[in-house]
Amino acid sequence: MRFFLPLLMLFVSQLFFSQTLVTESDTIPRDTTYWTKKNVAGLDFSQIAFVNWNAGGNSSVSGLLKGDFARKYVRGSVIWNNEMSLRYGINKQEGRELRKTDDAFSFLSNYGYKKEPNSNWYYSARFNFNTQFTDGYAYPNTDDPVSRLFAPAYVFLGVGSEYNRKDLNMNFYFSPITFKNTLVLDQRLADMGSFGVSKAIYDEEGNLLRRGRKSRTEFGMLFNSYWKKEFYKNMFFEHRLSLYSDYINNFGNVDVDWQLTVDLVVNQYVKANIGIHMIYDDDIKAKEEIAGEQVTVGPKLQLKQALGIGVTYSF
């Protein structure tokens, strides 16, 4: 966390003050030509209603608010890329409580340096932070959250090598030295041992001997890849893959985070998208409703599929 706050503050300051400021008292304007930026905010919306519909069905409305912000610095042999992504979606169905459909916050900062001017290889250092905004539930149980703000949160910090092809919108990153810190800053979830932290210890009579740990630190290797291509006019395919394996605990067991997205651009403001997000993490145990009780089972492949159409605004 001590690395995250300074980097985030620097990114936010660049977000709002990235333009050149010139006043009458300035003798030499501040040069910001090495910076490029991207600000995209969007809202996806879907709705269905039934009135005397013979086949039956429940009326529902869904919305997904999203934002992607980037600041990139390129000068000579140095490249510094900063990205922040936000997602929050809700669904309201007739006869059912309001439910969350998406919830994510991600911040990435990557610094690279290359020795040869014409090379695509960089020495690289990378920081990544991921969490969510609000409580998550294993529906229909809405009494006991299975996740909360900073429970979990994931921090990656490592150094390695990066292959960057701007002309192909392609990027590969490999780090043999990456620290992963899992935070579970909710004591109830930490006591349960959620997300791989050490759970609470009780004696035979049920008396608490030791609280659950609120963090877990791992040391391993990380591989990331990114690729985006326009495969047909105004149709874009985007691929993001992250693979992590811990040296100390179960080396060879790989945590997978893979996102595939197809964007269809209707015009400057209207876009449609189809996406698949797959996650496998041995430390995340699935929960199932069995005989009216919520039971924790083993790790399973997590799969999310999304289809949306909405408006976007770039600034």
Side-chain angles (χ1 to χ4, degrees):
M1 293 297 293
R2 61 182 180 180
F3 299 103
F4 168 65
L5 290 177
L7 282 170
L8 183 58
M9 291 175 64
L10 179 60
F11 176 77
V12 171
S13 66
Q14 180 62 28
L15 180 67
F16 292 103
F17 302 107
S18 61
Q19 301 299 320
T20 302
L21 301 177
V22 181
T23 65
E24 293 181 356
S25 61
D26 288 332
T27 57
I28 301 178
R30 190 161 54 91
D31 187 359
T32 59
T33 57
Y34 302 107
W35 287 96
T36 58
K37 68 175 184 177
K38 181 185 78 171
N39 302 314
V40 179
L43 176 63
D44 291 348
F45 179 79
S46 64
Q47 182 264 345
I48 185 169
F50 299 94
V51 178
N52 300 322
W53 191 252
N54 185 59
N58 291 329
S59 301
S60 67
V61 59
S62 300
L64 172 63
L65 182 66
K66 53 188 179 181
D68 294 293
F69 309 94
R71 294 294 180 272
K72 189 172 184 179
Y73 178 86
V74 179
R75 184 177 184 182
S77 299
V78 173
I79 183 172
W80 183 26
N81 187 40
N82 300 274
E83 299 177 2
M84 185 168 66
S85 177
L86 305 91
R87 298 283 186 278
Y88 196 81
I90 56 174
N91 170 269
K92 182 64 175 75
Q93 191 174 109
E94 184 180 10
R96 196 175 70 177
E97 75 280 357
L98 189 71
R99 294 188 175 186
K100 182 173 66 172
T101 58
D102 203 351
D103 186 2
F105 172 85
S106 175
F107 175 75
L108 170 70
S109 183
N110 189 87
Y111 180 88
Y113 173 79
K114 60 182 180 181
K115 296 181 64 176
E116 302 295 331
N118 297 323
S119 175
N120 295 311
W121 286 96
Y122 291 81
Y123 298 108
S124 185
R126 176 169 295 201
F127 170 84
N128 190 206
F129 176 83
N130 300 288
T131 188
Q132 61 187 46
F133 294 103
T134 61
D135 295 351
Y137 299 93
Y139 296 108
N141 183 351
T142 57
D143 296 324
D144 302 313
V146 296
S147 61
R148 313 194 74 176
L149 176 66
F150 294 105
Y154 299 100
V155 179
F156 292 87
L157 182 63
V159 293
S161 181
E162 178 181 6
Y163 181 77
N164 191 357
R165 287 289 301 272
K166 183 179 179 180
D167 56 326
L168 300 177
N169 280 321
M170 181 184 296
N171 178 282
F172 297 96
Y173 169 81
F174 174 72
S175 169
I177 305 175
T178 296
F179 291 92
K180 176 185 177 182
N181 190 234
T182 302
L183 303 175
V184 182
L185 301 187
D186 179 88
Q187 192 61 64
R188 183 185 67 85
L189 293 174
D191 288 344
M192 295 169 57
S194 299
F195 309 104
V197 298
S198 298
K199 63 182 181 179
I201 297 177
Y202 301 88
D203 62 18
E204 295 180 355
E205 299 178 353
N207 298 310
L208 179 66
L209 300 179
R210 193 201 71 189
R211 283 286 194 180
R213 305 297 188 192
K214 290 187 176 182
S215 67
R216 179 187 180 187
T217 300
E218 300 173 68
F219 173 63
M221 63 172 62
L222 176 68
F223 173 79
N224 291 123
S225 71
Y226 171 83
W227 180 50
K228 185 174 183 179
K229 180 177 178 59
E230 184 177 15
F231 63 93
Y232 195 73
K233 185 177 181 180
N234 293 331
M235 300 178 69
F236 298 87
F237 172 80
E238 184 177 86
H239 146 94
R240 293 177 182 268
L241 174 66
S242 176
L243 305 174
Y244 180 82
S245 185
D246 181 28
Y247 289 131
I248 302 173
N249 301 301
N250 297 323
F251 179 68
N253 184 66
V254 180
D255 297 336
V256 181
D257 190 327
W258 192 12
Q259 299 181 59
L260 299 171
T261 307
V262 176
D263 290 324
L264 299 89
V265 180
V266 180
N267 56 41
Q268 182 180 358
Y269 300 106
V270 179
K271 296 181 181 179
N273 59 80
I274 304 170
I276 296 176
H277 190 180
M278 291 174 283
I279 295 177
Y280 181 83
D281 189 333
D282 192 60
D283 297 324
I284 301 178
K285 311 303 180 185
K287 296 183 182 297
E288 296 181 355
E289 193 82 13
I290 300 177
E293 295 185 2
Q294 194 174 100
V295 178
T296 300
V297 296
K300 292 186 176 182
L301 176 67
Q302 304 172 58
L303 178 64
K304 179 174 69 176
Q305 184 273 327
L307 170 63
I309 183 169
V311 294
T312 62
Y313 177 67
S314 301
F315 57 97

